[in-house]
Amino acid sequence: MSGETTAVIRGRVYGTVQLRHTERGTPAARFTVMQVPREFDHAQGQWRDSEPVPVICTVTGPLARHAAECLTDAVHVIATGYLALRAGLLHLDSAQVGVDLARHVAYIDDTLPAVLAGRAPAPAPRATTVPEPAPRAEPRPVAAPTAAPADDWWQSPARRSWDAVTAPSRTGR
C-alpha cells in the first residue's frame, strides 16, 4: 500500500489486550501502548520525560492470539506497522509486535523452563547397575608441540590492525 506511513513505536502496554474474532473467525486484538518521549532540558542540563502519547495498536491473525496470551499491563513492547490519525488518536495497524528485551526476559515455547510451563521436569535417568571402573592407562610422554603453520590465523600471533588479516596474501595464492 503506497502512501502509508510506517512507524516503530516503543512503550508500555496500558491496560489489557482485547481479543475478538471477525465474522470469518479471524482473531483480532487491540491494545494501547503508551509511548513516553524523552526531551533534553537545556535549562537544567538533563533528560526528562514529556507527555505520554497513547497509540492504539491493532493486530490480526496468529499475532493477535499471541499478543493476547503474552502481553499484559505495563509490559514494554516494540511495535511496527502503518501509522494513521483517526478521530484525533494515533492508530498503529501492527505488522510486528515484540517484547522489549532491553527490559524483559522472554521465553519461547522451546526454551520455556518446565516449571514455568506447568509440567514436571523430566526425571533424571537412574543407573540400574554400578559400572566397573575402566582400567587406568599408563601415562604416555607428551610430544613437543609443533609450530602452527603461518596460514592458520587462529594460531598466529596477534596483529596490530585488521588490515593485516584482510589484506590479500603476498605469496600469490
Side-chain angles (χ1 to χ4, degrees):
M1 301 173 101
S2 64
E4 295 198 9
T5 304
T6 58
V8 176
I9 63 163
R10 185 175 166 187
R12 284 185 176 192
V13 174
Y14 182 77
T16 60
V17 178
Q18 301 168 2
L19 179 65
R20 300 199 175 138
H21 291 82
T22 63
E23 295 171 358
R24 293 185 174 184
T26 305
R30 176 180 273 185
F31 56 95
T32 302
V33 174
M34 294 298 272
Q35 185 175 13
V36 181
R38 297 196 40 96
E39 297 176 344
F40 188 75
D41 186 356
H42 292 284
Q44 295 183 356
Q46 62 184 8
W47 288 92
R48 65 177 178 87
D49 292 341
S50 62
E51 289 296 316
V53 177
V55 179
I56 299 170
C57 295
T58 306
V59 293
T60 57
L63 181 57
R65 286 194 312 270
H66 297 165
E69 186 173 333
C70 298
L71 302 180
T72 60
D73 189 36
V75 171
H76 288 84
V77 295
I78 300 172
T80 64
Y82 296 110
L83 189 65
L85 184 63
R86 299 182 197 130
L89 294 172
L90 286 174
H91 288 261
L92 185 75
D93 294 327
S94 300
Q96 298 173 339
V97 177
V99 175
D100 187 353
L101 294 179
R103 308 270 186 153
H104 300 285
V105 173
Y107 293 103
I108 58 173
D109 294 338
D110 296 339
T111 63
L112 189 63
V115 174
L116 295 177
R119 5 178 247 273
R126 292 185 173 188
T128 55
T129 61
V130 178
E132 292 184 23
R136 292 188 173 189
E138 293 294 321
R140 290 188 261 166
V142 178
T146 58
D151 292 339
D152 186 6
W153 70 271
W154 189 262
Q155 301 294 331
S156 63
R159 295 179 173 93
R160 291 190 178 157
S161 73
W162 186 247
D163 294 337
V165 175
T166 59
S169 174
R170 294 182 186 175
T171 59
R173 285 190 229 166

